[in-house]
Amino acid sequence: MERGNYSLVTQFILIGLTDHPKFQLPLFFLFLGIYVVTVMGNLGMIILIGLSSHLHNPMYYFLCNLSFIDLCQSTVITPKMLVNFVSEKNTIFYSDCMTQFYFFGFFAISECQMLAVMAYDRYVAICHPLRYSLIMTYQVCSWLVSGVYALGLIGATAHTGCMLRVFFCKEYAINHYFCDLLPLLKLSCSSTYVNDVVTLASSIFNIFFPTLTIICSYVFIIASILKIQSSEGRSKAFSTCSSHIIAVGVFFGSLAFMYLQPSSVSSMDQGKVSSVFYTIIVPMLNPLIYSLRNKDVKISLRESMRPKLFS
């Protein structure tokens, strides 16, 4: 079918989380509160790591970048979502939709890869503690972070480039609260074969491989922890990984539920709930998890607050 047979869609309608008016205002205040906590938590983590020399090591360098990714990811999604809660007509222009889709893909892929890099960092720290400073040098850490963002850039460009070649007909209501991959493809009236191939390849490279890296890292980590003689030593070693395990479980669990379940059992309403976790809840939880369960962060926070309290 030729291009002339398709109507040009200039804007979409975002259906959102719910179409019940009585839920709109409570949800607005709920997600506004979540967004405020997300911004304060991640921005606070970035500033704390930057100002505290005690936290200038590879683990917190990666954590600082994770906080930056979470902050940006939430900002790409939540403000538009909040506007839609108080708007009569939840429209988004085609160009804005593609822009949101691009940056969502960039930061989502970057987070997947960053969590894998952080797992590798914990593996080196626990399994090769004497060689840790030699392996995880500043140059190596910089290359790893650069690689994370490069993969995010490549993946987002590939997905968006394929999406731009998709034609949309009369149906322009996106059954979601943002411009996500699967809801957009459901509106297509042209072939999505290339998109499906790219999605499969991206899922393998950006979900399966990072997950495999994390699992392998923690297999070796657990094996090393079990070899530690004292229970205090095992507890200390495990505590350095527990925050990362929780963050990984919530993020990859919700992501896999959205993108890896068979289409025959998938539900877009269930997908929206799952999406809320990895786009809105996880960016809020990560700084809380890493601050509440991390002694170094607590100490640095107390030290940064002490001059203000006693000045």
Side-chain angles (χ1 to χ4, degrees), residues 14 24 79-87 89-91 177:
L14 291 169
Q24 300 293 332
K80 176 61 179 173
M81 181 186 187
L82 293 174
V83 171
N84 290 344
F85 280 132
V86 294
S87 300
K89 197 172 184 180
N90 305 330
T91 60
Y177 58 90

Side-chain angles (χ1 to χ4, degrees), residues 106-307:
F106 173 72
F107 290 115
I109 292 172
S110 296
E111 177 140 2
C112 291
Q113 301 294 344
M114 185 62 69
L115 289 171
V117 167
M118 293 175 73
Y120 172 73
D121 172 69
R122 293 298 84 206
Y123 157 74
V124 176
I126 293 176
C127 298
H128 304 284
L130 299 179
R131 299 171 53 199
Y132 180 72
S133 59
L134 297 177
I135 297 174
M136 302 301 293
T137 62
Y138 175 78
Q139 185 176 14
V140 170
C141 294
S142 298
W143 277 109
L144 287 172
V145 171
S146 298
V148 164
Y149 290 126
L151 291 173
L153 184 66
I154 293 169
T157 302
H159 278 297
T160 307
C162 292
M163 189 62 70
L164 290 173
R165 61 183 295 278
V166 171
F167 300 129
F168 300 96
C169 299
K170 296 180 181 179
E171 185 67 35
Y172 56 92
I174 302 174
N175 187 18
H176 218 300
Y177 58 90
F178 72 101
C179 294
D180 199 1
L181 175 66
L182 299 182
L184 280 171
L185 292 181
K186 287 182 179 293
L187 302 182
S188 171
C189 54
S190 61
S191 173
T192 61
Y193 175 76
V194 175
N195 301 76
D196 294 337
V197 172
V198 171
T199 301
L200 178 61
S202 180
S203 297
I204 293 173
F205 198 76
N206 296 306
I207 298 179
F208 177 74
F209 281 162
T211 303
L212 186 63
T213 300
I214 292 168
I215 291 173
C216 290
S217 296
Y218 277 104
V219 167
F220 288 112
I221 287 171
I222 292 171
S224 296
I225 291 175
L226 292 177
K227 293 178 182 178
I228 299 175
Q229 298 293 332
S230 66
S231 58
E232 183 181 350
R234 287 196 298 269
S235 177
K236 184 178 180 181
F238 182 76
S239 66
T240 63
C241 304
S242 58
S243 299
H244 184 257
I245 293 173
I246 295 171
V248 166
V250 176
F251 181 77
F252 278 101
S254 57
L255 200 65
F257 184 84
M258 179 67 182
Y259 290 102
L260 298 183
Q261 63 174 326
S263 58
S264 59
V265 298
S266 64
S267 166
M268 193 51 63
D269 291 333
Q270 292 178 340
K272 283 192 282 188
V273 175
S274 175
S275 297
V276 167
F277 276 92
Y278 67 82
T279 61
I280 298 175
I281 302 299
V282 168
M284 177 192 70
L285 289 179
N286 278 345
L288 298 177
I289 291 171
Y290 282 102
S291 60
L292 295 176
R293 298 181 61 85
N294 193 297
K295 291 182 180 179
D296 291 336
V297 173
K298 290 179 182 178
I299 292 171
S300 297
L301 185 60
R302 283 197 295 267
E303 289 178 351
S304 65
M305 294 296 290
R306 188 175 293 118

